[in-house]
Amino acid sequence: MQELEVEQIRDTLDKHGYQYKSILGDGGSSNAFLCQRNQNIFVIKKSMKLQMIENEYKNLTSLVHPSIIKLYDSFEDELDEYLVIEYCSNGTLFQKGKLTYSKFVLYAKQILEAIAFCHSKKIAIRDINPEKIFIDQYDHIKLSNFGMAKEFESNEKSNEKCGSLFYLAPEMFQKQDVCPFKADIWSLGITFFFMATGSFPFKSSSIEKIKQMIIRGDIDYSEYDIN
C-alpha cells in the first residue's frame, strides 16, 4: 500500500475518532488496519462497496455470540465501507498449526457452539477455515468473515459455489446443487483435520488433482501422527 493511500486512510479514520496504528492485511478489494480509540484496540476492515461487505454487516449485527467476532461500529466514504471489529491478539487457528489434544478439544467445542448457533438462525457460513477463525487475548475462539454467509431454509439447496478450495465439499465440483449447511460441516471437518495434524488432507500442485482427491475422499491417514 502506497504512503499517499495510507495518509488518506489515516484522515478518514481520524474523522471517525480512530487512530491508525498499522496495516494488518492487504487483500486487493479489502484491507485490515489495527486502530485505537481511547485505550481500546480494534481492527477496521475497509472494503469496496460490494454486496459481500453488506452481507457481512448484516450477519454480524444479527449473530451475537461469545465465539463470533464482534462488530462495534461502521461508517463509509464515497468509495469504501468500514467495519470496526474486535481485535484478537492471538492470531488465527492457521497460525497455531497442529494443536495438542486438550487445546483441540477446547477450541473445537467453541467452534461447534458458534456454528450451531449460526445454523439455528438459518445462516450458513459458507467459508469455514482456520485462517478465518481467530483467538482472542483470553484464548477464546472467534469466528469471523461472514461476507459469504447467507440465510437458507433447512431443506433448501443452492447452486452457488463459494468458499476456499481446500475446504470445499465434493458436491461443489460435481455440478450438483449444494445444501449449504452440510457444506459447512464438510469444511468444519477439514478444519478439524488441520487442527489435529497441522496439514491439509489433500495435497497436490495441481488444482484439478486436488478437486479429484476431494471428490474421492482420497486421504492417506498413515502419513499423519495424531496424538
Side-chain angles (χ1 to χ4, degrees):
M1 180 173 288
Q2 297 183 356
E3 188 174 341
L4 177 60
E5 187 177 358
V6 171
E7 286 304 314
Q8 292 170 339
I9 291 166
R10 284 182 190 271
D11 290 343
T12 299
L13 298 181
D14 283 344
K15 289 176 183 177
H16 293 273
Y18 296 96
Q19 180 185 359
Y20 172 94
K21 304 292 286 184
S22 65
I23 185 166
L24 294 175
D26 185 355
S29 63
S30 66
N31 310 99
F33 309 102
L34 189 67
C35 300
Q36 184 171 346
R37 187 173 195 174
N38 299 323
Q39 300 302 313
N40 299 311
I41 302 295
F42 302 96
V43 173
I44 296 186
K45 183 175 180 180
K46 179 183 80 73
S47 300
M48 297 170 60
K49 292 183 178 180
L50 301 170
Q51 186 63 43
M52 186 177 292
I53 196 70
E54 293 180 13
N55 286 346
E56 188 161 18
Y57 173 83
K58 177 183 176 183
N59 288 318
L60 288 179
T61 53
S62 64
L63 295 171
V64 179
H65 186 275
S67 295
I68 293 176
I69 206 88
K70 291 180 183 178
L71 174 69
Y72 289 103
D73 193 5
S74 66
F75 50 91
E76 63 180 48
D77 56 26
E78 291 183 2
L79 299 176
D80 300 304
E81 297 191 30
Y82 299 78
L83 300 181
V84 182
I85 58 179
E86 184 176 4
Y87 171 57
C88 296
S89 58
N90 280 319
T92 68
L93 273 181
F94 182 79
Q95 293 169 321
K96 292 286 185 182
K98 182 179 178 179
L99 302 175
T100 63
Y101 175 81
S102 59
K103 195 67 84 171
F104 178 98
V105 172
L106 174 69
Y107 291 160
K109 181 177 184 292
Q110 295 174 48
I111 295 168
L112 285 166
E113 289 172 345
I115 293 173
F117 176 76
C118 294
H119 286 189
S120 74
K121 299 291 185 181
K122 299 183 178 180
I123 293 176
I125 303 168
R126 305 204 297 173
D127 193 18
I128 297 170
N129 70 69
E131 295 180 68
K132 309 291 175 59
I133 301 174
F134 288 84
I135 304 165
D136 72 9
Q137 62 180 319
Y138 305 108
D139 207 28
H140 293 162
I141 286 294
K142 300 288 180 174
L143 263 63
S144 72
N145 201 56
F146 283 80
M148 295 184 188
K150 190 174 179 180
E151 185 173 338
F152 295 92
E153 293 301 321
S154 58
N155 60 350
E156 187 177 353
K157 291 193 174 183
S158 172
N159 59 9
E160 296 176 333
K161 315 298 186 197
C162 56
S164 303
L165 174 64
F166 290 106
Y167 304 88
L168 293 179
E171 54 266 38
M172 294 278 191
F173 307 115
Q174 296 176 304
K175 298 182 179 179
Q176 298 179 15
D177 287 347
V178 176
C179 171
F181 301 106
K182 291 181 180 179
D184 273 358
I185 300 306
W186 174 276
S187 300
L188 174 63
I190 304 301
T191 296
F192 280 176
F193 186 97
F194 180 86
M195 290 163 59
T197 67
S199 181
F200 297 111
F202 310 109
K203 297 178 182 178
S204 175
S205 58
S206 164
I207 291 177
E208 282 305 313
K209 189 170 181 180
I210 289 173
K211 290 178 181 179
Q212 290 305 311
M213 293 174 74
I214 292 172
I215 291 170
R216 296 193 304 267
D218 186 6
I219 305 173
D220 184 358
Y221 291 98
S222 66
E223 291 186 15
Y224 304 98
D225 176 26
I226 300 176
N227 297 325

